Structures are given as structure tokens and as C-alpha cells.
Amino acid sequence: MPWGVSALLLAGCAAPAPPPAPPVSPFNATDTAWVQLMIPMNEQLLPALDVAPPSLAQFAAELKESHADELVHLRQLRDRAGLPDTNPHAGHQMPGLVSAADLLAIRTDPSALTKKLHEHLDQTAELARSEQENGTDAATKEFAASVESSRRNQLTRLGQG
């Protein structure tokens, strides 16, 4: 067999090329943790806003709308990051996160909502600031900047910022 033909036959027997490396995610641990925490932070606040006392009713309605809009964007980020549609923080007690016990207390005494709102707005502003400082996904950091600005304005409007 001529040398050229044997080289071609041997070349055909070579090991296949390795598969391409999976794309590197632009999301780091801070980005994913922020998205996974902000979703329940917003979701769990919404029912509390439904029982706002008359003095907070208009503000609560505005918060409900803005938090629902944020949820749409947060879920898009979660999907883009390939994160599961689960709540890794279920059952956790954290500052600013409205628990079942908090919701019951607010339903019993709607005036308790003011304190919980302050805690929620302050904590989510701090979380957004941390995302901006430590995240790597540009779109997530940009959204966190928007959330932080909104929260600071909302705290001022609440009168305790």
C-alpha cells in the first residue's frame, strides 16, 4: 500500500476530537444566590401588601406592582442562569423575608406592616448593593442597581429611610 493511502487510513482511525467545552456561565455564586433569594423575598411580601392599613394602602399597591414587575425580570435571570424553579430558602428565617408567622402577625395587626416593610426594603437594598459589588453577570448587576435605587427611594417614601 502506498504511504499516502496508509496515512489516510490511519488518520481515519484517529480518536475523535473531544467535545467542545460547555460555555462558561457569566453567573457566579453571588449572581445565582442573589436571584434565588430575591425571588422569595418579593414573592413572600406580596400577600402582606394585600392587608395594608389605610394609611399605607396606596404605597402598598405601588410596592405590589413594582415587586411583581421585578419578579418577571428575576425569573428571566433565573431561567437564563439555568437555575431550578425551586426555593432553596423555603422555611428560612431571614431579615426582610416575610415568613408565615410574619404574615399572620400582619393580618392580626396591619400596623405591623410598616416595620416589616422597612426591614424588607432595607435588606433587599443591601442585597442588591452586594450583588453589584460581587456579581459578575453584567445584566444581573445592572438590574441590582435598579433594585437598590428603587429600594432607597421606597425607604425614603416610607419615611424611615
Side-chain angles (χ1 to χ4, degrees):
M1 196 178 322
W3 185 85
V5 172
S6 62
L8 283 174
L9 286 174
L10 287 175
C13 296
V24 175
S25 172
F27 292 85
N28 69 4
T30 299
D31 298 318
T32 58
W34 185 73
V35 168
Q36 288 180 315
L37 181 55
M38 286 297 295
I39 290 172
M41 292 286 280
N42 280 15
E43 286 175 340
Q44 291 175 219
L45 178 69
L46 296 179
L49 296 172
D50 289 335
V51 294
S55 62
L56 283 178
Q58 179 63 35
F59 184 61
E62 292 170 22
L63 285 178
K64 188 168 186 172
E65 183 179 338
S66 69
H67 279 58
D69 289 346
E70 287 174 8
L71 278 168
V72 171
H73 196 88
L74 287 162
R75 289 176 182 134
Q76 290 171 343
L77 289 170
R78 178 195 62 205
D79 294 346
R80 191 168 62 81
L83 299 171
D85 183 12
T86 56
N87 178 2
H89 302 286
H92 294 176
Q93 293 288 332
M94 295 189 234
L97 184 66
V98 178
S99 67
D102 293 329
L103 185 56
L104 179 59
I106 292 166
R107 285 184 173 148
T108 302
D109 178 10
S111 68
L113 179 61
T114 300
K115 181 179 179 190
K116 197 62 185 182
L117 277 178
H118 184 269
E119 183 182 285
H120 169 82
L121 296 171
D122 187 56
Q123 185 65 25
T124 53
E126 289 302 313
L127 291 169
R129 184 185 50 74
S130 179
E131 163 57 26
Q132 293 169 73
E133 292 172 359
N134 301 298
T136 56
D137 180 63
T140 303
K141 290 172 67 166
E142 182 178 322
F143 183 61
S146 171
V147 168
E148 182 184 16
S149 176
S150 292
R151 294 301 189 274
R152 298 291 178 208
N153 289 334
Q154 291 160 348
L155 279 164
T156 300
R157 289 190 57 212
L158 188 58
Q160 299 177 16

